[in-house]
Amino acid sequence: MTPSITEAGPLLITGARLVDARGVVHARADVLVRAGRIVAIDDRLEAEEATIWPLEGRTVTPGLMNAHAHVCLEPAADPEAILRDETLAETAVRGARRLREALVAGVTTIRDVGGADGVNIALAGLVERGEIPGPRMLAAGQVITMTGGHGYWFGVEADGPDAVRHAVRAQIKAGATAIKVMATGGMMTPGQAAGAPQLTIEEMAAAVDEAHKAGRTVAAHAESAVGARNAVLAGVDSVEHGHGIDEAVVALMLERGTRLVPTILSDRAIVEGGEEAGIPAFIVDKCRALAPSLERTLELAIERGVAIAAGNDGGAPLVPIGNIVDELRLYVAHGMRPQDALETATSATAGLFGMPDVGLLEVGHVADLLVVDGDPLADIAALRNPRAVVARGRPVAGDGLEVPTG
């Protein structure tokens, strides 16, 4: 068995510029990592037993997080067709590859919001035990939808509060560490209107009650203002997508503390790729009609101060789960400061996930780190293609930079 990623030896990073969601934490500092956590940050540190890693002139940030991913989906032009045709064994093996690719890209934590028959839960366990490389995972198991609702063919169909409550309990029993409900129809399910209300407030409230009792958060797919409003009234922790959200829904989200996960990159990829890229026409048509409303939602959320957690809908057409940086670039293009964009993919997402010791460069925090050459506070694109990635204190990937292995 591959050694657990948490078994990394002491590591002393020297001469690094430390940057996180608070800005420049240290212009130059040494960082001592032991047992997967940051144990000291100072101008000059010594640790005879530690592997020394000089990073003079380079920037260290927290590892990035993706709050909306689908590990079981291949980010091709028609991901659902591939999933329908492949075996569960193929889904698992290909999912493991996608996790490894995401880690190399700098994503050290993800929330998988819907997979095939427990595969995402199994992959999360393999990562946690150190048997395969990948980001730590919250895994929602199968989505919970109404009969014939969005994603019904790979989710759990449930009608009425009691049935939804049972479905949530079944996913938790299977090992789910998050729950996903469908408040509306979606673009990628044929024969239905994206944004049409589906699960009711009462049904979603039952899901929230059951999930929160077990310490799980609830994400709600919503592609209309009415769907988002229903989800917020039901008490969900995050609204996914959020097409058409208006001032009234924003006010409700601020009142209830509901987070938004915009996934704007997936809309952009579908609209720009189009049928020419092989994306099914029904998906392209629905996305082209709705995409402008998501841009308005994002701008309104930024302006009003809605808490945003970065998610790119990885696994949707042409969007790898590891490409969170292009999602952040779109946040900046729609009015967000680079520093705030970095927060959406680090400490803000950690808050949504209930992980208080992830997402900042602080003593006691988990040592999930990126090493980059540029300045992400000046250009968020500097986070793309990191020179090295550290996951739970162990350097796991490098690009032209000598990465210690001791």
Side-chain angles (χ1 to χ4, degrees), residues 30-71:
D30 297 349
V31 181
L32 180 61
V33 175
R34 183 179 288 118
R37 292 183 179 269
I38 299 171
V39 297
I41 299 175
D42 211 332
D43 291 342
R44 300 287 178 183
L45 291 173
E46 294 184 2
E48 293 183 1
E49 79 282 15
T51 299
I52 308 299
W53 192 13
L55 292 178
E56 302 297 333
R58 292 191 168 92
T59 297
V60 173
T61 77
L64 302 180
M65 307 174 83
N66 186 348
H68 190 117
H70 297 278
V71 173

Side-chain angles (χ1 to χ4, degrees), residues 166-187:
H166 174 75
V168 171
R169 289 175 175 172
Q171 290 308 300
I172 293 171
K173 178 183 177 182
T177 47
I179 296 296
K180 169 76 170 296
V181 296
M182 299 302 198
T184 74
M187 297 179 192

Side-chain angles (χ1 to χ4, degrees), residues 11 55 81 92 137 156 170 181 212 224 251 268 314-315 323 330 355 389:
L11 178 68
L55 292 178
M137 291 175 62
V156 177
V181 296
H212 285 180
S224 67
R268 179 66 61 91
N323 185 12
L330 289 170
M355 296 178 176
V389 180

